[in-house]
Amino acid sequence: MLIGEVARRSGVSARMLRHYEALGLVRPSGRTEGGYRAYGSDDIRRIFHIESLRSLGLSLREVGRALDDPAFAPSELVGDLIARTRERIAAETDLLRRLHRIGAAEPADWADVLQTVALLQALGSDSAGRRQRAALSTVAESPVPVEALAEAALTETDPNVAGALRWALARAGAGGLARLVRGLDAPEAAVRERAVQAIAELTDETATSVLQDCLTSADVVVRRGAALALGARGGAAAVPTLIDMIVEEANDVDAADCLSTLAEDPALTERIATGLVDRLTAGAAGSAAVGDGIAGSSALGGGIAGSPARRRLTQALAGIPGDRTTQALVRLAEDDDRGVALTATYLLRLRGHGDRP
């Protein structure tokens, strides 16, 4: 069979067949009377073997070894091919991600493209200072790859750079919100925490709605972060979680500050005071007496396991105005826990109740 016919039947060009011959991969087993190459059945079979191995990503040199070296072990080479393929896929995936980010920035011209590429490179730098400068520079950049900023915010471990990235995201608007929301389901707790922190910096209604949904999250990291953010925005729905945080000593000072801010709204004052008092009296036989005053000292001592939690709840009452709070503090001033009693007495004095009413 002449080279032209082999090329037609095999799909391998005559030029490539000549290249294979030059490399010694295929040697036509015969010649015609006119001196033309003549391929036999074994030659055709070898050509198909070459093409099959090339389809796996082997170089022509590796193909030659595989076909001609009797001691050649395919398992090692296949393992190497798997590793190389994974590296190639990772590189292509990274390229695809960068292209998507450039496209999302909607560049007007090639200058915009080059500017975005430079920003992406800076955000991926090993230097924290360079990453921070890149984040801060986005305020003057147009267009801004918001999704890239969101991705960087989720992975950034340096607190200064992370702060700059959250600031940049807030200035850029809600374009990165979808990526941040996906970060709420990340397997790493640190990523979930960064996601809720970044969302908290966004002030639009959509971000607020996301934070409200986070209050029902099974993830305590997400739930607490959302409560602090919503509490700072006046979100009454955060009250139960903020009280839980005081009991659990999880950012309890910040949680108490949020409750104090929320209590400035007269519509929330009594609700917050009642929530704190109920946690002090939860599970006690006299807790039903809250509406008629406050349960006695024995009841107040029965609701929370451990004095430190009760003391924190008592301290949190300091920022809550109103008669309900004052009544609670009067009872707490007689509490069996000396720390609770002293705290309540001090708070009563600050309220102008130095003497028992």
Side-chain angles (χ1 to χ4, degrees):
M1 190 181 298
L2 298 181
I3 190 170
E5 187 176 358
V6 172
R8 286 192 299 273
R9 294 193 178 189
S10 67
V12 181
S13 68
R15 180 180 179 182
M16 183 59 71
L17 290 171
R18 293 188 184 95
H19 183 55
Y20 288 169
E21 183 179 352
L23 294 176
L25 290 173
V26 180
R27 296 182 180 84
S29 54
R31 292 274 178 174
T32 66
E33 292 182 359
Y36 293 104
R37 299 174 181 83
Y39 292 84
S41 58
D42 289 341
D43 301 328
I44 303 299
R45 188 178 301 107
R46 186 176 174 91
I47 291 171
F48 282 115
H49 288 168
I50 292 171
E51 293 303 301
S52 296
L53 292 174
R54 285 189 64 199
S55 72
L56 297 178
L58 273 70
S59 67
L60 290 177
R61 180 180 179 181
E62 290 168 332
V63 169
R65 284 185 55 213
L67 293 177
D68 298 331
D69 185 355
F72 178 78
S75 57
E76 182 178 346
L77 182 57
V78 170
D80 183 57
L81 285 172
I82 291 173
R84 279 155 43 183
T85 302
R86 285 175 175 164
E87 291 175 0
R88 186 171 67 254
I89 291 173
E92 293 293 330
T93 301
D94 181 64
L95 174 60
L96 182 61
R97 185 183 301 113
R98 280 184 285 141
L99 289 171
H100 276 307
R101 289 172 178 172
I102 293 170
E106 299 181 350
D109 51 36
W110 283 110
D112 284 347
V113 171
L114 294 175
Q115 176 179 290
T116 302
V117 170
L119 178 61
L120 293 176
Q121 290 174 337
L123 289 174
S125 171
D126 291 334
S127 166
R130 187 181 178 197
R131 296 196 304 274
Q132 184 176 21
R133 288 191 297 272
L136 295 175
S137 72
T138 58
V139 70
E141 301 289 347
S142 181
V144 175
V146 182
E147 186 170 330
L149 289 176
E151 183 74 30
L154 293 175
T155 58
E156 184 56 63
T157 57
D158 185 284
N160 295 324
V161 182
L165 286 166
R166 291 196 298 270
W167 173 83
L169 277 170
R171 294 292 295 266
L177 181 59
R179 179 64 187 94
L180 295 176
V181 169
R182 294 197 298 273
L184 295 172
D185 295 323
E188 304 87 357
V191 175
R192 299 194 300 273
E193 183 176 14
R194 294 180 199 123
V196 75
Q197 287 174 343
I199 294 171
E201 298 284 344
L202 305 178
T203 57
D204 62 281
E205 293 182 2
T206 304
T208 300
S209 178
V210 169
L211 291 171
Q212 289 173 338
D213 291 340
C214 288
L215 290 176
T216 60
S217 172
D219 183 358
V220 68
V221 171
V222 172
R223 192 167 63 248
R224 289 170 178 170
L228 289 174
L230 287 172
R233 300 183 188 193
V239 170
T241 302
L242 292 171
I243 294 175
D244 287 341
M245 292 171 66
I246 293 171
V247 173
E248 296 158 6
E249 199 175 9
N251 294 100
D252 52 293
V253 175
D254 292 335
D257 287 343
C258 281
L259 288 175
S260 178
T261 299
L262 288 168
E264 294 175 2
D265 181 352
L268 296 178
T269 303
E270 185 167 337
R271 174 181 173 182
I272 295 171
T274 300
L276 290 168
V277 172
D278 282 351
R279 292 306 296 271
L280 279 160
T281 62
S287 61
V290 170
D292 298 323
I294 296 296
S297 61
S298 62
L300 286 169
I304 300 296
S307 295
R310 298 186 65 248
R311 292 173 188 173
R312 290 192 296 274
L313 286 167
T314 304
Q315 291 165 358
L317 287 169
I320 314 302
D323 293 339
R324 178 63 60 89
T325 301
T326 301
Q327 293 170 11
L329 291 172
V330 168
R331 291 296 186 180
L332 288 167
E334 299 177 356
D335 196 86
D336 293 338
D337 186 315
R338 180 170 173 77
V340 170
L342 289 174
T343 300
T345 300
Y346 174 72
L347 295 179
L348 283 170
R349 288 174 181 166
L350 291 180
R351 289 170 175 260
H353 291 269
D355 298 324
R356 290 185 61 182

